[in-house]
mmCIF file of all heavy atoms in Angstrom:
data_model
loop_
_atom_site.group_PDB
_atom_site.id
_atom_site.type_symbol
_atom_site.label_atom_id
_atom_site.label_comp_id
_atom_site.label_asym_id
_atom_site.label_seq_id
_atom_site.Cartn_x
_atom_site.Cartn_y
_atom_site.Cartn_z
ATOM 1 N N ASP A 151 21.344 -30.841 15.796
ATOM 2 C CA ASP A 151 21.131 -31.499 14.579
ATOM 3 C C ASP A 151 22.365 -32.220 14.001
ATOM 4 O O ASP A 151 22.289 -32.965 13.036
ATOM 5 C CB ASP A 151 20.626 -30.499 13.510
ATOM 6 C CG ASP A 151 19.332 -29.884 13.928
ATOM 7 O OD1 ASP A 151 18.303 -30.627 13.889
ATOM 8 O OD2 ASP A 151 19.298 -28.711 14.327
ATOM 9 N N ALA A 470 12.540 20.031 10.116
ATOM 10 C CA ALA A 470 11.817 19.928 11.378
ATOM 11 C C ALA A 470 11.621 18.490 11.752
ATOM 12 O O ALA A 470 11.437 17.626 10.917
ATOM 13 C CB ALA A 470 10.456 20.596 11.251
ATOM 14 N N SER A 495 11.884 22.793 4.091
ATOM 15 C CA SER A 495 12.041 21.892 2.948
ATOM 16 C C SER A 495 11.940 20.452 3.287
ATOM 17 O O SER A 495 11.605 19.651 2.408
ATOM 18 C CB SER A 495 13.434 22.174 2.312
ATOM 19 O OG SER A 495 14.489 21.920 3.211
ATOM 20 N N ALA A 518 -1.711 5.498 9.051
ATOM 21 C CA ALA A 518 -2.472 6.737 9.088
ATOM 22 C C ALA A 518 -1.593 7.915 9.365
ATOM 23 O O ALA A 518 -1.816 8.970 8.721
ATOM 24 C CB ALA A 518 -3.529 6.570 10.231
ATOM 25 N N GLU A 616 -30.091 6.974 -11.298
ATOM 26 C CA GLU A 616 -31.231 7.517 -12.030
ATOM 27 C C GLU A 616 -32.315 8.017 -11.055
ATOM 28 O O GLU A 616 -33.079 8.917 -11.321
ATOM 29 C CB GLU A 616 -31.812 6.475 -12.951
ATOM 30 C CG GLU A 616 -30.867 6.026 -14.078
ATOM 31 C CD GLU A 616 -30.589 7.179 -15.081
ATOM 32 O OE1 GLU A 616 -31.525 7.575 -15.822
ATOM 33 O OE2 GLU A 616 -29.490 7.708 -15.074
ATOM 34 N N ASN A 769 7.542 -1.598 -22.692
ATOM 35 C CA ASN A 769 6.967 -0.653 -23.678
ATOM 36 C C ASN A 769 6.236 0.489 -22.937
ATOM 37 O O ASN A 769 6.457 1.681 -23.283
ATOM 38 C CB ASN A 769 6.003 -1.369 -24.585
ATOM 39 C CG ASN A 769 6.709 -2.302 -25.522
ATOM 40 O OD1 ASN A 769 7.915 -2.197 -25.748
ATOM 41 N ND2 ASN A 769 5.978 -3.238 -26.131
ATOM 42 N N THR A 851 14.244 -7.157 -2.284
ATOM 43 C CA THR A 851 15.094 -6.030 -2.732
ATOM 44 C C THR A 851 16.241 -5.827 -1.750
ATOM 45 O O THR A 851 17.365 -5.714 -2.109
ATOM 46 C CB THR A 851 14.232 -4.764 -2.875
ATOM 47 O OG1 THR A 851 13.190 -5.007 -3.767
ATOM 48 C CG2 THR A 851 15.127 -3.651 -3.414
ATOM 49 N N GLY A 867 40.275 2.938 -26.138
ATOM 50 C CA GLY A 867 40.905 3.021 -27.428
ATOM 51 C C GLY A 867 41.772 4.248 -27.567
ATOM 52 O O GLY A 867 42.997 4.192 -27.341
ATOM 53 N N ASP A 917 45.466 -4.563 -40.224
ATOM 54 C CA ASP A 917 44.676 -5.646 -39.655
ATOM 55 C C ASP A 917 45.074 -5.987 -38.237
ATOM 56 O O ASP A 917 44.782 -7.078 -37.695
ATOM 57 C CB ASP A 917 44.749 -6.914 -40.516
ATOM 58 C CG ASP A 917 43.984 -6.719 -41.840
ATOM 59 O OD1 ASP A 917 43.061 -5.825 -41.861
ATOM 60 O OD2 ASP A 917 44.229 -7.481 -42.789
ATOM 61 N N PRO A 1145 25.614 2.503 -5.457
ATOM 62 C CA PRO A 1145 25.486 1.960 -4.108
ATOM 63 C C PRO A 1145 24.407 0.920 -3.909
ATOM 64 O O PRO A 1145 24.412 0.244 -2.883
ATOM 65 C CB PRO A 1145 25.196 3.200 -3.263
ATOM 66 C CG PRO A 1145 24.507 4.121 -4.212
ATOM 67 C CD PRO A 1145 25.040 3.835 -5.569
#
Side-chain angles (χ1 to χ4, degrees):
D151 298 288
S495 58
E616 296 295 290
N769 289 343
T851 303
D917 288 339

